[in-house]
Amino acid sequence: HVHRLARRWGLAPESANVRVVEQHLSALYPEDTWGKVHLQMIYFGREWCQAKVHVPSDCPVCCWVGKGGTPLSAEAIEKMV
């Protein structure tokens, strides 16, 4: 989930592999929040931003990211779930 969502949300390049995504996310979020951000992204992805049945306009993040948004803070991700 994290790999897919990070690329879908523009937190890492679309062509990024798992390691590159990890590097990007590690640079964006403080180390003491990594575990929480990881779990929040997983839960959010399961509920709102699924791989197969994805409607970007229904996703609170995808509909926003398409409008030139910036990377989300750990607090913003936490509030989504």
Side-chain angles (χ1 to χ4, degrees):
H1 290 292
V2 174
H3 179 238
R4 175 177 46 82
L5 294 176
R7 292 178 304 136
R8 185 178 279 174
W9 295 347
L11 301 176
E14 226 0 85
S15 61
N17 63 30
V18 174
R19 294 288 176 216
V20 173
V21 169
E22 180 182 12
Q23 291 170 350
H24 279 263
L25 294 178
S26 296
L28 287 172
Y29 301 104
E31 187 172 355
D32 65 334
T33 67
W34 291 353
K36 193 170 194 174
V37 168
H38 176 256
L39 290 175
Q40 294 295 338
M41 287 179 77
I42 290 171
Y43 297 143
F44 187 86
R46 288 178 184 166
E47 183 69 27
W48 290 97
C49 201
Q50 301 166 354
K52 294 183 182 181
V53 185
H54 181 251
V55 180
S57 60
D58 290 344
C59 174
V61 176
C62 291
C63 69
W64 177 79
V65 171
K67 297 177 182 173
T70 56
L72 300 170
S73 68
E75 293 81 20
I77 291 173
E78 181 179 343
K79 289 177 184 176
M80 287 186 243
V81 178

